[in-house]
Amino acid sequence: MNGRYDFFWNTMELCNWDKAGNDDKVLKPVLQYLSQQDDAAIFEFDDLMSELLYGLDTKKLAGQCRKVDPKMCDDTFLYSRCAALINGPAYYEKVKQGKEKNVWTMEFESLLYVPMRAWALKHHGAVDDYDHVPPLSCETGSNRDGWK
């Protein structure tokens, strides 16, 4: 994994795994840290997260997910890709290479909302007012090359 993603991965190291089982509490230190950064840093985190999720949006990985979860839908595949990120860069790379199939039994949807929640906390505003849109979509099927 190149240094371009260091800000994302270093920020994710702040997760409080003593609170595993409660996603909001696990992510609380990440939210607090990001909310103390400038908007550009929050947007960068969002962009990097979306790019990493986009990188896992492939037909091959969706096929792995479907084998583990025959009821897989676009959202469950996305939430499992979030679990790949929450478990760190080495785990992410294993998933990306198709070497970690256990990820398809997990999900971590809350990660998707970290940038907007951090921004809202910083500005004492509403999550709905967050208007940054990353250049790459993390939605399932967005990575057209990955689905060929």
Side-chain angles (χ1 to χ4, degrees):
M1 187 102 319
N2 73 41
R4 172 167 154 54
Y5 300 102
D6 287 351
F7 174 64
F8 177 83
W9 295 122
N10 291 338
T11 302
M12 293 310 297
E13 285 180 9
L14 299 172
C15 286
N16 182 355
W17 289 110
D18 292 338
K19 303 294 183 180
N22 183 323
D23 295 355
D24 288 338
K25 288 184 179 181
V26 168
L27 292 169
K28 187 175 181 179
V30 174
L31 285 168
Q32 289 174 329
Y33 171 75
L34 282 175
S35 71
Q36 295 167 5
Q37 307 308 307
D38 61 22
D39 286 355
I42 295 170
F43 300 157
E44 167 124 358
F45 180 90
D46 197 1
D47 293 351
L48 293 170
M49 178 179 69
S50 294
E51 189 173 317
L52 289 164
L53 289 168
Y54 181 90
L56 297 177
D57 181 29
T58 67
K59 185 177 182 178
K60 176 186 171 188
L61 294 178
Q64 279 186 357
C65 183
R66 192 167 279 110
K67 284 181 184 174
V68 173
D69 180 5
K71 297 178 185 171
M72 181 203 99
C73 67
D74 290 353
D75 285 344
T76 57
F77 182 51
L78 173 58
Y79 304 157
S80 290
R81 288 184 282 138
C82 289
L85 267 66
I86 201 79
N87 282 291
Y91 189 86
Y92 173 88
E93 283 300 319
K94 281 184 183 178
V95 171
K96 190 171 184 178
Q97 295 167 11
K99 296 178 180 176
E100 181 55 66
K101 296 174 181 78
N102 192 42
V103 70
W104 310 122
T105 65
M106 300 183 273
E107 60 179 52
F108 211 97
E109 177 186 4
S110 300
L111 180 61
L112 294 172
Y113 310 107
V114 165
M116 61 189 70
R117 289 179 62 205
W119 182 89
L121 186 62
K122 175 183 181 61
H123 294 283
H124 309 286
V127 170
D128 292 343
D129 292 336
Y130 182 78
D131 64 359
H132 177 73
V133 178
L136 294 174
S137 173
C138 64
E139 294 298 326
T140 298
S142 295
N143 182 351
R144 292 183 186 199
D145 289 340
W147 283 86
K148 289 181 181 175

